[in-house]
Amino acid sequence: MIVADAVGGVLAAAGAEVVFGVVGSGNFHVTNALVRHGARFVAARHEGGAATMADAYARMSGKLAVVSVHQGPGFTNALTGLAEAAKSRTPMVVLAGEATDARSNFAMDQDAVARAVGAVPMRAGDPGTAGQDALEAFRIAVEERRTVLLNLPLDVQAAAAGESWERLERAAGRLRDRPSPVPVDALPEEVAALGRLLMASRRPVFVAGRGARRARRELEELAELVGALLATSAVARGLFRGSPWDLDVSGGFATPLAAELIRDADLVVGWGCGLNMWTTRHGALIGPEAKVVQVDLERAAVGRYVPADLGVVGDVARVARQVRDVVEPSGPREERGYRSAVVAGRVREEGRWRAVPYTDEGGDGRIDPRTLTIGLDDLLPDERLVSTDSGNFMGYPAMMLDVPDEEGFCFTQAFQAVGLGLATAIGAAVARPDRLPVAALGDGGALMSAAELETVVRLGLPMLVVVYDDEAYGAEVHHFGPHGHPLDTVRFPPADLAAIARGHGFDAVTVTEPADLAGVAGWLTGPRDRPLLVHAKVTRERPSWWLEEAFRGH
């Protein structure tokens, strides 16, 4: 057995179920070894797409993702997706061939590049320990929630493995069967301090982030005791769906009502949430007299973006239970804290963006993106999984396409890269084949990632791809245009995106007015044996509301 076979085999034995990648000579054997030992290989058309697919898969499955790429350019092609995953603390192992001969065209310092984007570089550099190195990369990725680059030197890959396969397999089994980490309890004094703040608060708001995604019950129970309203960061959207106190997303995507109520809070508690500039609108959603608390697994996360009056280190669900045991509710349940009949009525009537009145600006062959998105929301089944790219358009699908729960939204935006949306939707769909995958893209991101349209067709995904086409990089148009700058570099001639999609095997419809959505309705009621691309020619006269908010922070 050569080292490449041992590395691939031991990762599969440890529990790596799905690997995404583009195969070249430097990762051919290790990828085939993964497949031979039971992993599913999903071939992307670009390494950047493979890394983003893996990131989305890990987010929506809760499992480790593996990426396999060629040395040198295969690795550098994956960097944007790798940076997004590293910034998001996504558990991922990237297997990359490595050229160690300085005369090779592929030679480069892959360690330094990985470190520069926040990944953990490792190397299987000794045939006698390569399998154990792979298991250690797996462990770090899972237990420390890190994105790990495992360099596989070409000469080492081809060498005879110096480890017993039986021993490696047993070690992999122990890693696979290792019990989940025991939830981290907070210090009693920190629990007591948070309890006192909650009992003294008249208007508490909980903002839950990615670290709270599986703690809904515990947070709702505590919120009921203290009368807190409930909101999320964008990545945790849907966590409190169905609650009468759900404000949806805090930050740039917040509805006018959510922004008002969060801004008026006297206590904001971030649960597994960084409270970064987007979640707080550059701090504007934190009232001048409000106390701020952060609950996180890492002390270093507390106060990173906004000053925190209290940091509580521990597992979100565990801490919520601990605090629940020390608070003493006062007053009738329906009138505690921020909760009242008046607030409940306002949340019910004003708590979603589609309930906010607007003037439809469609016409002359273009549809208002709000009208488009609300129309799609009415048509799509509830069991959907929405993934969105970055750009001026993205607030519309992110906020006006409702989701049933926190498993219905996949948001790879820690790096704010344009072009990741389609690959995000593919990875999410692989993780959750029970839901209708919806990819929302701008025309710029759609054309950047067009090669992965073939991947959607090849995988047989019943995906709906919606392209909001303003024939421009809209964020730049609206950022620089009002100041009189020339815009020729960020505007483009019309492109027939429906024809491009059909060329890859999609069904496609072009939408310029609400009546054109009949084509989407027909696809939804049919066999869905081919994915559908909606080429929506959207109005482009003004920036989206969230972009206007972002500009205020520049």
Side-chain angles (χ1 to χ4, degrees), residues 242-259:
S243 167
W245 309 106
D246 177 21
L247 301 179
D248 211 0
V249 173
S250 173
F253 286 168
T255 62
L257 175 66

Side-chain angles (χ1 to χ4, degrees), residues 369-392:
R370 295 163 292 189
T371 302
L372 166 71
T373 312
I374 291 170
L376 289 169
D377 189 49
D378 289 339
L379 289 172
L380 298 179
D382 291 339
E383 293 300 303
R384 61 187 74 162
L385 203 173
V386 177
S387 304
T388 181
D389 210 330
S390 188
N392 173 56

Side-chain angles (χ1 to χ4, degrees), residues 53-67:
M53 291 173 201
D55 184 5
Y57 169 83
R59 293 175 193 239
M60 304 316 296
S61 69
K63 300 175 181 178
L64 174 85
V66 177
V67 181

Side-chain angles (χ1 to χ4, degrees), residues 97-253:
E98 183 181 32
T100 53
D101 185 338
R103 296 169 297 179
S104 170
N105 289 342
F106 300 133
M108 60 173 293
D109 190 344
Q110 295 183 176
D111 276 18
V113 174
R115 194 175 291 110
V117 299
V120 178
M122 296 181 64
R123 177 171 289 102
D126 183 340
T129 61
Q132 290 295 333
D133 294 336
L135 290 177
E136 179 63 5
F138 188 109
R139 186 200 65 77
I140 290 172
V142 172
E143 295 185 2
E144 300 181 20
R145 298 177 298 115
R146 301 298 300 271
T147 296
V148 179
L149 166 68
L150 182 61
N151 285 302
L152 302 174
L154 300 183
D155 55 344
V156 175
Q157 283 194 61
E163 300 164 288
S164 159
W165 172 249
E166 290 73 18
R167 288 184 180 180
L168 285 177
E169 195 170 30
R170 286 196 296 272
R174 289 193 296 271
L175 185 60
R176 183 188 62 239
D177 299 334
R178 182 179 297 184
S180 299
V182 176
V184 178
D185 284 342
L187 296 173
E189 56 268 31
E190 294 179 349
V191 171
L194 177 51
R196 288 192 296 270
L197 286 171
L198 287 168
M199 286 187 286
S201 173
R202 301 291 301 275
R203 298 181 305 281
V205 171
F206 289 178
V207 182
R210 187 178 177 186
R213 283 181 55 137
R214 286 164 179 81
R216 171 174 178 160
R217 178 174 57 83
E218 292 84 357
L219 290 177
E220 285 190 325
E221 289 175 354
L222 179 59
E224 183 174 320
L225 287 179
V226 301
L229 303 183
L230 301 165
T232 71
S233 66
V235 292
R237 185 179 185 225
L239 178 64
F240 300 117
R241 188 62 78 246
S243 167
W245 309 106
D246 177 21
L247 301 179
D248 211 0
V249 173
S250 173
F253 286 168

Side-chain angles (χ1 to χ4, degrees), residues 409-435:
F409 190 57
C410 193
F411 193 65
T412 49
Q413 290 294 318
F415 201 32
Q416 283 191 275
V418 175
L420 304 188
L422 181 57
T424 297
I426 294 170
V430 171
R432 293 300 304 266
D434 55 316
R435 297 200 172 187

Side-chain angles (χ1 to χ4, degrees), residues 314-338:
D315 174 80
V316 165
R318 187 70 177 178
V319 172
R321 288 194 294 269
Q322 288 180 274
V323 177
R324 181 192 61 197
D325 292 340
V326 302
V327 298
E328 298 177 2
S330 60
R333 177 184 300 176
E334 62 273 11
E335 294 291 336
R336 290 176 191 159
Y338 218 160

Side-chain angles (χ1 to χ4, degrees), residues 33 46 74 114 135-136 157 252 254 267 461 520:
H46 190 278
L135 290 177
E136 179 63 5
Q157 283 194 61
L267 175 65
L461 301 176
V520 180

